Amino acid sequence: MWQRVQTLYLAIAMALTAFLFCCNKAVVVGADGEVAEAYTYVQYTPYLILLIITTLLNFIAVTTYKIRVLQMRTAAFSALITIALQAWLLLDFFLNKNDMVFKVTLIFPLVSVIFQVLAYRSIMADELIVQSSSRLRAAKRKSK
């Protein structure tokens, strides 16, 4: 399981999204330079729901390494949901960039999408190798 590069990609993507459960999204700095208020990702329910779905889909993709088609589909679906989360975070950033100081964790979903796409490509390459070897075996049996 862990010797496959796509499993590592999916594990990194899952760790990045799971890390967002305990991070601050942004802070409001007071007049004295101290942090007046901190906002987390779990305070806003739609962010929480998207994070839970993305983390669960990544977990399913990591654990279904024997069923490549399911692993490929869950990785792709997770990437789409993570893109939606990133778009929503960017919208929040552009609407509130004068009021809040956003943390670097704001780009974690984007990095997670990159790892999910890399995993998808690796899973697809493995599946194509398995299909081509199956065709070669079938052709060899027919010729005998």
Side-chain angles (χ1 to χ4, degrees), residues 101-119:
V101 177
F102 287 87
K103 300 290 185 176
V104 73
T105 58
L106 196 69
I107 63 166
F108 280 9
L110 181 64
V111 176
S112 179
V113 166
I114 292 169
F115 280 113
Q116 290 164 350
V117 168
L118 288 172

Side-chain angles (χ1 to χ4, degrees), residues 15-142:
L16 284 171
T17 55
F19 187 65
L20 294 177
F21 284 106
C22 59
C23 291
N24 288 337
K25 175 182 74 167
V27 294
V28 175
V29 180
D32 57 352
E34 302 260 334
V35 174
E37 193 172 357
Y39 294 98
T40 62
Y41 292 96
V42 295
Q43 284 177 336
Y44 191 51
T45 307
Y47 290 160
L48 178 64
I49 291 169
L50 288 174
L51 283 175
I52 289 171
I53 290 171
T54 302
T55 306
L56 284 177
L57 284 173
N58 282 329
F59 180 75
I60 290 169
V62 166
T63 56
T64 57
Y65 59 92
K66 290 186 178 182
I67 311 168
R68 278 181 298 279
V69 175
L70 177 65
Q71 187 180 33
M72 205 168 30
R73 289 182 180 162
T74 54
F77 188 56
S78 177
L80 289 175
I81 291 177
T82 309
I83 288 171
L85 174 65
Q86 183 66 50
W88 204 340
L89 288 171
L90 286 175
L91 178 69
D92 193 24
F93 171 75
F94 286 118
L95 291 176
N96 298 316
K97 67 180 173 183
N98 296 331
D99 303 332
M100 296 185 218
V101 177
F102 287 87
K103 300 290 185 176
V104 73
T105 58
L106 196 69
I107 63 166
F108 280 9
L110 181 64
V111 176
S112 179
V113 166
I114 292 169
F115 280 113
Q116 290 164 350
V117 168
L118 288 172
Y120 179 84
R121 290 180 63 193
S122 297
I123 298 165
M124 178 65 84
D126 280 356
E127 184 63 23
L128 290 175
I129 289 171
V130 168
Q131 287 178 1
S132 68
S133 65
S134 295
R135 271 188 258 128
L136 287 174
R137 285 189 202 121
K140 189 175 182 180
R141 281 189 219 128
K142 282 185 179 180

